[in-house]
Amino acid sequence: MSNYELEIPIHQQVLANLKEAVLFVHENGAILSGNNTAFALLNMENKDSASVLDYLDFALLKEKNESHLLMEQKNENGKLIEVKSIRINNLVYCLIMSHLSLQDKTEEVKKYINKLIQKSAEGMVMYDNDKVIDCDSTFAKMFGYNREEIINSHISSLIDEKSMYQLKQVIHNNPEKSYELTALKKDGTHFYIEMMVHPYNNQGEIIRVAIVKDISDRIENEKRIEFMAYYDELTDLPNRNFFNKVLREAIDQAEKNNELLAVYFIDLDYFKEINDTLGYAFGDQLLRACGERFKAFLETDTFIARMGGDEFLILQRHTKDKNAAVELAEKLIAEFEKPIKIDDYEIFTSVSIGISIFPENGKNPNDLIKHADSAMYVIKERHRNNYNLFESSISENFKTMLTMETELRKALKEGQFELHYQPQKNLGSGKIVGLEALLRWNHPLKGYISPDEFIPLAEKTGLIIDIGDWVLREACRQNMAWQDKGYQRVIVSVNLSAKQFHQKELVEKVEEILNETGLRPHYLELEITESMAMSNEEYILETMVRLRKLGVLVSIDDFGTGYSSLKYLSIFPVTKLKIDKMFMDENQKQNQAIVKSIIHMSHSLNMKVIAEGVETIEQLTFLEKEKCDEMQGFYFSKPLPPKDLTKFLRPVQ
């Protein structure tokens, strides 16, 4: 070393105490100085006359002022050394060296990569081209091997073919970023890994060290989340989100090719009745069975989804014409006419189908689905188990309906509703014994709107609950107001809709209104229709019993128009039957026979009977002759506002 009197930029004592292996080398390869760590690493025997050329390919290190290479040690066959070379001046280089042992480098490389991906890494592998040079036990275990089995094997045997292309063409060209790949275990099963590759230059050849993490759980969770976002869990069919996506793509394609496509909005008939009767668990089984039946119609050009509830959607691509759209609807209807077997039941259901055609009935997913829904709604209202093609008039009717719904909400909020009352007369004494409260809508611009126009809409939208609560409260308040003014005490009758009567807390609500208004319970009569009474007898009976215990009277309206069960009628705590006005046509002898039967049956069951719709003296005479208890109708009085009704109410003496 004394042959070269060059100044070394570090004190010899400091150099000797460095943990790193450090050499200072002349540009011709002569070793000027170094520490014992470096001499031991190179297994150098003659330190005084040594040349680095005997140990390393110094020419590669001199190519740049700074270089960082993996190098094979010349005097140790196959031993790799990591060398950092720094040119200090024109003649001197500083070499900092270390063995490249995978185990020694693991923590260092992991720490470096963790700074980039900010995640805990798991296994590590070193490979040259396709050959595995070394790996840690974590990596080997991840793939189902032991460490000795993987060393000298091929990376391509560990990575799925499609991912191998990504590894070679993408990852190797863009290293030090994390990538998701599909890997292969020893037993051939696939799993998911996240891989980050860190390349090292080994004398012009690239050796790669990769951090590998098993991310199968995360990928499975992501797939589960994706499934939940795009599929219906109950039926395993695509959901509305997925349908919208596919429909949007189909519209783009149909537009380019100048083609038609059809959207079907399908509703299961009688599902609510089946659900209410046999329970929600049975209803879920029915929906699954229907989903399987729909899947039988899956073809290249059809896409099927569950909209929600008992509603389904079908997309038919490449539709030739409207006849082709109708043909699929008819096949669906025929298929659903067959019974569905669930447990010990054979369920007969059917479908109502609305159809919209692109581009005639809409040019975007929302319009096509909405118009198919509108067409279905119309056919379901008229008669079920059928299909209906969308027409522009349907859309206009729906706009009218939506406008009325908005105005209904406004009417309730702004107090546009009124109650008129029709007197009920006892045919024996001739006295007024009751008043039926009838809802009227006094629109500020349109005047009075017929209940036939807005009540069905209120039922469908659920507004009937809030409107019904107002009617009940107002009828009780008005009746109490007449009593407070000293008029005779009569019963006020209020009609309840099916939705009102099936409220879980109906009895509590009635009791609350009675307490609030001060009206005694036996001056309130609640009317339910015959069909309501027979739809869910057990629940109806329980509610009636609770109302009667409260003291409220219960009557059955429109009697004779439904399918009464005399058995249940005999056990219902009903106080009165009301004969529907359709039977008051005295020109039909059959009607008179029905009225006679109802009167006699009611009396035999200790119920009163009242006839509505009495409009002539002949009808009145007939009822008196047959001992009917009460009547109401235009012959006596039409429904009147409260201020006009006082003439019928006698002051209490």
Side-chain angles (χ1 to χ4, degrees), residues 405-437:
E405 182 183 346
T406 303
E407 291 189 335
L408 262 178
R409 295 182 187 279
K410 188 176 179 182
L412 186 61
K413 187 177 180 181
E414 296 183 357
Q416 296 174 16
F417 291 119
E418 299 175 1
L419 284 186
H420 289 193
Y421 300 85
Q422 188 168 37
Q424 297 173 330
K425 184 178 181 181
N426 184 291
L427 290 177
S429 65
K431 294 179 180 178
I432 302 298
V433 291
L435 302 166
E436 182 179 7

Side-chain angles (χ1 to χ4, degrees), residues 3-9 23-33 52 58 62 65 85-95:
N3 294 336
Y4 296 95
E5 295 182 358
L6 296 172
E7 185 178 349
I8 304 302
L23 289 179
F24 287 95
V25 181
H26 191 276
E27 62 92 23
N28 66 6
I31 296 174
L32 304 175
S33 182
V52 78
F58 189 48
K62 293 196 299 181
N65 289 334
S85 172
I86 303 170
R87 186 170 188 157
I88 296 173
N89 55 45
N90 291 336
L91 298 175
V92 179
Y93 292 82
C94 175
L95 306 184

Side-chain angles (χ1 to χ4, degrees), residues 237-238 291 293-305 314:
L237 285 170
R293 191 163 282 192
F294 278 120
K295 288 175 188 176
F297 289 86
L298 274 173
E299 294 179 2
T300 307
D301 292 335
T302 56
F303 186 79
I304 302 171
I314 294 181

